[in-house]
Amino acid sequence: MPDHDGERLAAELGASVSLLMRRLRAASPQGELTPTQRAVVARLDAEGPSTIAALARAELVRPQSMRVTVGALEERGILARSPHPTDGRQVVFSLTGEGRRVLADVRRAKNDWLAVAIAERLTGAERRTLAEATALIRRLTDA
């Protein structure tokens, strides 16, 4: 069980990471993708084609909600459907070239904002400390 200082550090780190994530989302191109759409596109990019049911389970939403999200992405040409390789009753969705472009634009905008913020707001010593802290955060999140 963590002591008082450990609990305080955990709360401050959680709040800081949440604020950073909000700032990164705000840096994304406006109107490009909703947070749910970004999560689906990123998941398909990382894991490959998937069904609506599998996406819904992974994102902890109802299949009906995922159907709306996927439908909007398909309508914009970001996702494409194809027959399931082993179950003719299902379809799988995958990223299109446009989907990869949109995802790259979103990621580039976030990285650009963060790189500028680091360069403008932190000293060299602080950047080195941030690099060390980043490695520690990665260790915390590794399984």
Side-chain angles (χ1 to χ4, degrees):
M1 196 71 170
D3 60 13
H4 180 70
D5 288 340
E7 289 176 358
R8 184 176 49 80
L9 179 58
E12 288 177 11
L13 177 60
S16 296
V17 169
S18 292
L19 180 57
L20 176 61
M21 295 308 295
R22 281 194 300 276
R23 294 279 173 94
L24 289 170
R25 278 193 296 273
S28 294
Q30 291 300 315
E32 222 23 286
L33 298 173
T34 68
T36 303
Q37 290 172 341
R38 279 194 300 265
V40 168
V41 169
R43 182 172 300 281
L44 290 172
D45 181 56
E47 299 175 6
S50 184
T51 64
I52 286 179
L55 287 168
R57 278 192 304 276
E59 295 299 324
L60 305 174
V61 299
R62 295 177 35 207
Q64 297 86 341
S65 298
M66 185 56 66
R67 202 169 285 116
V68 171
T69 299
V70 167
L73 292 167
E74 184 180 22
E75 188 174 298
R76 290 183 55 196
I78 292 171
L79 299 184
R81 68 175 60 211
S82 59
H84 190 283
T86 60
D87 184 347
R89 299 168 295 171
Q90 294 190 60
V91 296
V92 293
F93 291 87
S94 57
L95 282 180
T96 62
E98 174 65 6
R100 282 187 277 288
R101 183 203 62 77
V102 167
L103 183 59
D105 288 350
V106 167
R107 287 177 172 164
R108 187 173 26 263
K110 289 178 178 185
N111 287 339
D112 289 351
W113 175 85
L114 188 54
V116 168
I118 290 169
E120 291 179 351
R121 299 177 191 175
L122 301 181
T123 66
E126 289 170 330
R127 287 193 293 274
R128 287 187 293 281
T129 300
L130 182 60
E132 292 172 4
T134 301
L136 293 174
I137 292 169
R138 186 169 302 265
R139 274 186 35 209
L140 288 174
T141 59
D142 285 344

